[in-house]
Amino acid sequence: QVQLVESGGGSVQAGGSLRLSCVASENPYMRHSMGWFRQAQGKEREWVGCRDSITLTTYADFAQGRFNISKDNAKNTLYLQMNSLKPEDTAMYYCAQKIGSCSYVVTAFDIWGRGTLVTVSS
């Protein structure tokens, strides 16, 4: 089974940037879509964005214009570039995989990483 490992989280001041990485143990991109989610303390997990096996990338409203999802197939790595970070972006960030097209539904994704923590201070 594919394993996903996130990294790149950390502490940053408001207005700063971070790039998160998600390395897959094997190339999942031929038939799969990859998503980023986040979960703040005491809140439900929410969708950040998704990239399908071709090029289509979609974002949640709060991520549009600030976040960018990209991938490096040679490295089996998915990235989440986050700019203009706000304190409300503080959360554990997860990558996840599903077969087929993108979705914003948490339960549609069947393989998850353990997450990487992002803390944004004001």
Side-chain angles (χ1 to χ4, degrees):
Q1 180 172 333
V2 172
Q3 293 184 330
L4 305 176
V5 179
E6 303 93 336
S7 64
S11 297
V12 64
Q13 289 191 329
S17 298
L18 282 174
R19 188 178 77 161
L20 307 184
S21 300
C22 171
V23 179
S25 57
E26 58 187 69
N27 189 343
Y29 302 123
M30 295 303 293
R31 299 184 299 117
H32 298 81
S33 294
M34 300 293 295
W36 284 101
F37 293 79
R38 69 184 188 182
Q39 187 167 18
Q41 193 169 7
K43 296 187 177 182
E44 293 186 352
R45 192 166 297 189
E46 66 175 344
W47 177 69
V48 175
C50 183
R51 185 176 178 115
D52 72 8
S53 60
I54 305 176
T55 59
L56 179 65
T57 307
T58 53
Y59 300 94
D61 287 346
F62 68 80
Q64 191 73 40
R66 296 193 299 131
F67 294 2
N68 184 66
I69 297 173
S70 61
K71 65 180 182 178
D72 184 334
N73 287 336
K75 296 182 179 179
N76 289 352
T77 301
L78 183 76
Y79 300 101
L80 177 64
Q81 176 69 44
M82 304 186 294
N83 301 320
S84 302
L85 283 164
K86 306 174 182 180
E88 51 263 43
D89 294 318
T90 295
M92 186 72 79
Y93 283 73
Y94 301 88
C95 67
Q97 174 187 305
K98 69 177 294 292
I99 296 175
S101 60
C102 274
S103 173
Y104 59 86
V105 178
V106 172
T107 54
F109 291 78
D110 53 2
I111 297 177
W112 292 80
R114 293 189 173 186
T116 185
L117 181 63
V118 172
T119 303
V120 184
S121 58
S122 57

